[in-house]
Amino acid sequence: MLNAFGQMLTGRTERGESPERPGATSEVPEKLVQEFFNAIQNQDTDKVRQLLVVHKTDLTRATFKPDPQSVRFPAEVERDAYTLLGAYLGPLTGLQFSILTGCDGVAKDILDSTFEQDVDATFGNGNTALHLAVLLGASLMVSALIERGADINLKNKRGYSVVDMSDNPDILKLLQSGTAQDDE
């Protein structure tokens, strides 16, 4: 019997070619994806690490579409999230989901296993994990994403870059240092 989170995932994994990553296919068994996202939801770092060791390629690219009622932005950024990111989240990767749910330790583990070309995978309106981390003020994740080569200059479909996502001086300083690294 599935818990509420498991029921949310059932039947919602993306199959076939990914519009965010043309050519990438997701033939990951639904049970495995469900186990992975349940481990993220439960902040079970050991389980996430164990699954990534065995199924790295499949799970870092796997997506699911959360039930909009079960995944919400924190109240203090909800209005900005809808304005800047858009109301539609769409399918999320484990990295994106863990950032959205505030599981930064798990997100860091997933990021460490994510292939360079997948760091800027998009969701919803062309948003990246970096857009999300900046909006949520997750400075440790912003720093980690920049270190892994996340593109600071990408704009989402609403025309917003990551710099537009925050007025936090510490976050903006991280983004500026990332821009300086890009220029070198």
Side-chain angles (χ1 to χ4, degrees), residues 6 13 16 22 25 43 58 71 74-75 78 84 88 92 100-101 121 125 131-132 139 143 182:
T13 58
T25 57
Q43 297 189 36
D58 292 333
V71 179
E78 189 171 30
L84 301 170
Y88 176 69
L92 300 170
L100 178 61
T101 56
N125 290 309
H131 280 96
L132 192 54
S139 57
S143 181
D182 285 349

Side-chain angles (χ1 to χ4, degrees), residues 63-116:
T63 60
F64 82 98
K65 185 176 179 181
D67 177 355
Q69 299 305 315
S70 66
V71 179
R72 299 189 100 86
F73 289 101
E76 62 272 12
V77 298
E78 189 171 30
R79 180 177 290 172
D80 289 338
Y82 291 133
T83 301
L84 301 170
L85 301 177
Y88 176 69
L89 286 177
L92 300 170
T93 65
L95 175 61
Q96 295 157 351
F97 180 70
S98 58
I99 292 170
L100 178 61
T101 56
C103 303
D104 290 353
V106 172
K108 180 76 170 82
D109 287 338
I110 296 170
L111 179 61
D112 289 343
S113 295
T114 300
F115 295 100
E116 185 177 339

Side-chain angles (χ1 to χ4, degrees), residues 92-184:
L92 300 170
T93 65
L95 175 61
Q96 295 157 351
F97 180 70
S98 58
I99 292 170
L100 178 61
T101 56
C103 303
D104 290 353
V106 172
K108 180 76 170 82
D109 287 338
I110 296 170
L111 179 61
D112 289 343
S113 295
T114 300
F115 295 100
E116 185 177 339
Q117 67 269 22
D118 295 327
V119 170
D120 289 321
T122 60
F123 68 94
N125 290 309
N127 300 297
T128 65
L130 186 56
H131 280 96
L132 192 54
V134 170
L135 178 79
L136 295 174
S139 57
L140 293 176
M141 283 311 305
V142 170
S143 181
L145 285 160
I146 291 170
E147 283 179 26
R148 280 298 308 276
D151 190 341
I152 295 168
N153 300 308
L154 284 179
K155 290 186 177 189
N156 64 17
K157 291 179 183 175
R158 291 180 160 237
Y160 295 111
S161 70
V162 295
V163 173
D164 301 319
M165 299 285 141
S166 179
D167 58 3
N168 178 320
D170 295 330
I171 298 281
L172 294 173
K173 183 185 263 187
L174 286 171
L175 295 173
Q176 288 170 345
S177 70
T179 303
Q181 290 174 1
D182 285 349
D183 293 341
E184 293 175 0

